[in-house]
Amino acid sequence: MDTNDTDIYSSEEERNLNLGGHVGFDSLPDQLVSKSVIQGFSFNILCVGETGIGKSTFMNTLFNTTFENEEASHYQNGVYLRPRTYNLQESNVHLKLTIVDTVGFGDQINKEESYKPIVDYIDAQFESYLQEELKIKRCLFNYHDTRIHVCLYFIAPTGHSLKSLDLVTMKKLDSKVNVIPIIAKADTICKSELHKFKIKIMSELVSNGVQIYQFPTDDEVITEINSSMNAHLPFAVVGSTEEVKVGNKSVRARQYPWGVVQVENESHCDFVKLREMLIRVNMEDLREQTHTRHYELYRRCKLEEMGFKDTDPDNEPFSLQETYEAKRKEFLHELQQKEEEMRQMFVTKVKETEAELKEKERELHEKFEQLKRMHQEEKRKLEEKRRELEDEMNIFNRVKVASETLQGQSLFGSSQQSFRKDKDKKN
């Protein structure tokens, strides 16, 4: 097929036709629903907030169950993320829910790098999915997708303004995950102050360029409700798993000496609004936004770092095979260069070692010659000493012999004298 044929095919227009009878492809939505129900769904929530702000209680309230929870102390050396995965079922729909808690967040004196473990964790999940996509034998159908679909950012109900840690963290996360800000423990602040606090938070987010998740308004079915809910951001929520009897029915609420705060009473808090928006209306959009926006951004940046492009310098289509071959040749060239550099380095090292060994050998030879000369000198001195001692011994022996001779003569003379004296006495 030449270029002209390709142009002809690409310029063909689509035509609308009328069917003469029922065919049956209008059942495709039902087929997709049936297949999705059989396969099940996954949803991953990242809970970011300071220790003790009520993240675990809120998640238990949100899904109307009790998740495993280990109380974290305020004495963590750093921030680490603790993911927990649960299999939930409602009617005939299976949901694999992963809740990721940020243990130790905001507890350190130096909070400058508190956001880094969170960013690294999100990137690690993207990288894991990308590696699965790049495999020759992919298993995306039953792959456990751990990419974070939504970040619930819990804000302390100070009533004043956002902390620097909150602004920095949300700014670092907004390009990687759908961020929904939440005012935790909203029952600790009065309604008028809460309203002012919401306005203050949104103003600070806008002025600092933080892009939080906006509920989609492009679908006519949900446009009205999502538009109205976007105006309620950030949601002020209260969490509780305790049942309190109000009137003739039991409700989840918090009991105080002055009254009862009902979790699902919209005049008391925004819990119902958040649950409606997060789970019942926009869960699929959160999953889709994660894949088409945040993951695509990560994937594009990662592939560009690896040298892959869609077009060449002339804006012509650039095939993956050509890119791979080009990168392969570049890699082999770099490898050859490194091998040559290593060989040259090895030769240089060998020469340097040989020179060092020769220098050591010369030094050892000089040392040996010096020791040899010292040994010969010591030997000569010892020979001289030996000769001197021999001469002294010879002299000593001659003196000894002479002395013994003189002593013998003296004894002989004395004996003759005494003999003469005896003879004279007898005469």
Side-chain angles (χ1 to χ4, degrees):
M1 183 183 295
D2 57 18
T3 308
N4 293 331
D5 293 337
T6 305
D7 293 338
I8 292 172
Y9 288 128
S10 61
S11 62
E12 284 188 352
E13 295 182 357
E14 296 179 357
R15 293 175 292 175
N16 295 323
L17 297 176
N18 295 323
L19 301 178
H22 183 261
V23 177
F25 56 78
D26 58 351
S27 67
L28 271 173
D30 297 331
Q31 295 176 37
L32 286 174
V33 170
S34 177
K35 187 175 181 180
S36 298
V37 169
I38 293 171
Q39 184 179 354
F41 301 89
S42 65
F43 193 61
N44 307 317
I45 302 176
L46 171 65
C47 298
V48 180
E50 299 175 3
T51 305
I53 203 169
K55 301 187 293 295
S56 300
T57 302
F58 176 77
M59 295 310 297
N60 291 339
T61 310
L62 185 64
F63 286 94
N64 200 16
T65 187
T66 302
F67 297 109
E68 297 176 11
N69 182 41
E70 296 178 8
E71 290 189 6
S73 68
H74 289 273
Y75 305 102
Q76 300 293 333
N77 294 326
V79 179
Y80 72 92
L81 280 80
R82 183 173 60 196
R84 297 284 175 83
T85 301
Y86 309 93
N87 291 313
L88 307 179
Q89 182 177 355
E90 190 173 41
S91 298
N92 63 334
V93 178
H94 294 268
L95 179 68
K96 183 174 284 188
L97 176 68
T98 299
I99 300 174
V100 184
D101 190 14
T102 52
V103 181
F105 182 79
D107 289 340
Q108 292 73 41
I109 296 175
N110 183 6
K111 302 178 177 63
E112 186 177 354
E113 299 292 328
S114 294
Y115 67 86
K116 196 172 185 306
I118 304 173
V119 173
D120 292 343
Y121 179 85
I122 295 172
D123 285 344
Q125 311 319 305
F126 284 154
E127 181 65 24
S128 177
Y129 192 87
L130 177 61
Q131 292 302 320
E132 185 65 28
E133 271 195 332
L134 295 177
K135 285 181 181 178
I136 296 174
K137 293 183 179 180
R138 299 183 298 176
C139 299
L140 293 176
F141 177 77
N142 56 358
Y143 175 77
H144 181 204
D145 187 1
T146 58
R147 295 173 298 177
I148 300 298
H149 298 124
V150 62
C151 168
L152 300 180
Y153 196 95
F154 291 78
I155 300 169
T158 59
H160 299 291
S161 60
L162 288 171
K163 299 178 182 178
S164 299
L165 175 63
D166 298 330
L167 286 171
V168 171
T169 305
M170 281 193 274
K171 183 64 179 174
K172 293 292 181 181
L173 295 178
D174 64 358
S175 62
K176 296 180 178 294
V177 67
N178 302 309
V179 178
I180 298 179
I182 296 172
I183 300 173
K185 297 183 177 180
D187 54 333
T188 61
I189 185 172
C190 67
K191 278 193 173 183
S192 59
E193 290 181 354
L194 182 60
H195 180 68
K196 293 177 183 177
F197 190 35
K198 283 187 174 186
I199 296 173
K200 181 70 174 176
I201 289 172
M202 293 305 297
S203 174
E204 289 182 346
L205 291 176
V206 172
S207 61
N208 286 276
V210 179
Q211 301 292 325
I212 63 173
Y213 174 75
Q214 294 289 318
F215 300 117
T217 56
D218 51 356
D219 188 346
E220 294 181 358
V221 178
I222 57 175
T223 296
E224 185 177 350
I225 185 172
N226 278 354
S227 298
S228 63
M229 288 300 108
N230 282 329
H232 280 82
L233 289 170
F235 292 112
V237 299
V238 176
S240 176
T241 56
E242 296 180 5
E243 296 285 339
V244 177
K245 194 167 184 180
V246 177
N248 296 324
K249 61 178 182 177
S250 294
V251 296
R252 287 182 295 174
R254 300 187 73 87
Q255 180 82 51
Y256 292 99
W258 45 262
V260 176
V261 177
Q262 300 178 35
V263 171
E264 298 184 12
N265 189 330
E266 293 191 43
S267 64
H268 290 185
C269 69
D270 297 331
F271 173 80
V272 173
K273 295 183 178 67
L274 175 60
R275 183 182 61 188
E276 191 79 12
M277 291 297 96
L278 182 65
I279 299 176
R280 300 181 181 178
V281 179
N282 297 298
M283 180 182 281
E284 182 55 33
D285 184 73
L286 289 165
R287 285 157 42 89
E288 184 181 340
Q289 285 291 321
T290 299
H291 183 77
T292 59
R293 180 187 169 196
H294 302 296
Y295 170 70
E296 281 301 316
L297 177 62
Y298 176 85
R299 176 179 173 275
R300 186 184 71 195
C301 295
K302 199 70 175 180
L303 292 179
E304 286 176 351
E305 286 178 9
M306 295 167 65
F308 291 98
K309 300 176 183 177
D310 291 331
T311 57
D312 59 15
D314 300 325
N315 274 341
E316 294 296 327
F318 207 64
S319 70
L320 182 62
Q321 184 177 355
E322 291 175 356
T323 306
Y324 170 76
E325 289 295 332
K327 294 300 292 182
R328 183 173 177 273
K329 289 178 181 178
E330 182 181 346
F331 173 74
L332 290 175
H333 180 66
E334 290 178 358
L335 186 63
Q336 289 175 354
Q337 284 184 335
K338 286 190 177 294
E339 287 179 352
E340 182 63 24
E341 289 175 2
M342 292 294 291
R343 192 182 67 80
Q344 292 293 339
M345 189 182 299
F346 178 74
V347 171
T348 305
K349 285 288 184 183
V350 168
K351 288 181 179 179
E352 290 177 357
T353 306
E354 286 180 350
E356 289 177 1
L357 289 173
K358 286 181 180 179
E359 182 65 22
K360 292 287 185 183
E361 185 180 2
R362 186 186 62 78
E363 291 176 359
L364 287 172
H365 184 71
E366 290 180 356
K367 204 168 191 180
F368 174 75
E369 291 294 329
Q370 184 180 0
L371 290 172
K372 186 176 178 182
R373 288 193 297 270
M374 290 174 63
H375 175 70
Q376 290 175 349
E377 182 68 22
E378 291 291 332
K379 187 177 179 182
R380 185 185 63 77
K381 290 180 179 179
L382 286 172
E383 286 292 328
E384 289 180 356
K385 285 283 186 183
R386 187 178 64 79
R387 285 195 296 270
E388 289 176 359
L389 287 172
E390 287 180 350
D391 291 342
E392 289 178 359
M393 287 178 66
N394 290 333
I395 293 171
F396 176 76
N397 287 333
R398 286 197 295 270
V399 171
K400 181 181 178 183
V401 170
S403 175
E404 288 176 348
T405 303
L406 289 174
Q407 188 177 3
Q409 289 176 356
S410 175
L411 290 172
F412 181 74
S414 297
S415 63
Q416 283 185 346
Q417 285 179 2
S418 61
F419 178 74
R420 287 192 190 106
K421 286 180 180 179
D422 291 339
K423 191 176 178 182
D424 290 339
K425 285 180 180 180
K426 287 180 181 180
N427 290 333

